């Protein structure tokens, strides 16, 4: 499995009102590699938090796969980055 260690967690409101969006940013380390950032935006901050962590895990796995294939890992796809989806 893949074990990560949460180094930083940030929650910011990006809109106002009843259906306000919360943006979560995390920094996670996996082993001895440099930290990986994850980001997600959602109206439910618990869901945004989980999606941000999952985004970091996916980026880590993508970087590992690219390194195995001898490729450069490009810009990440931000899952859950659209509020309410």
């Amino acid at each position: 499995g893949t074990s990560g260690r949460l180094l930083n967690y940030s929650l910011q409101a990006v809109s106002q009102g009843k259906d306000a969006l919360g943006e979560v940013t995390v920094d996670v380390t996996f082993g001895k590699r440099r930290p990986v950032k994850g980001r997600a935006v959602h109206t439910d901050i618990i869901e945004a938090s989980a999606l941000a962590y999952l985004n970091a895990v996916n980026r880590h796995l993508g970087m590992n796969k690219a390194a195995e294939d001898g490729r450069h890992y490009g810009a990440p796809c931000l899952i859950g980055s659209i509020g309410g989806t």
Side-chain angles (χ1 to χ4, degrees), residues 16-76:
Q16 297 179 357
K18 179 182 171 193
D19 293 323
L21 295 173
E23 176 184 27
V24 174
T25 305
V26 296
D27 293 316
V28 183
T29 57
F30 299 92
K32 296 183 180 190
R33 292 185 171 226
R34 65 184 175 95
V36 177
K37 285 201 179 294
R39 178 183 171 273
V41 176
H42 201 281
T43 55
D44 181 333
I45 61 171
I46 302 298
E47 188 164 342
S49 299
L51 290 170
Y53 192 88
L54 184 59
N55 180 236
V57 170
N58 285 337
R59 290 188 68 192
H60 165 72
L61 294 174
M63 287 187 284
N64 282 351
K65 177 70 174 146
E68 289 173 7
D69 295 344
R71 294 179 290 118
H72 173 73
Y73 184 73

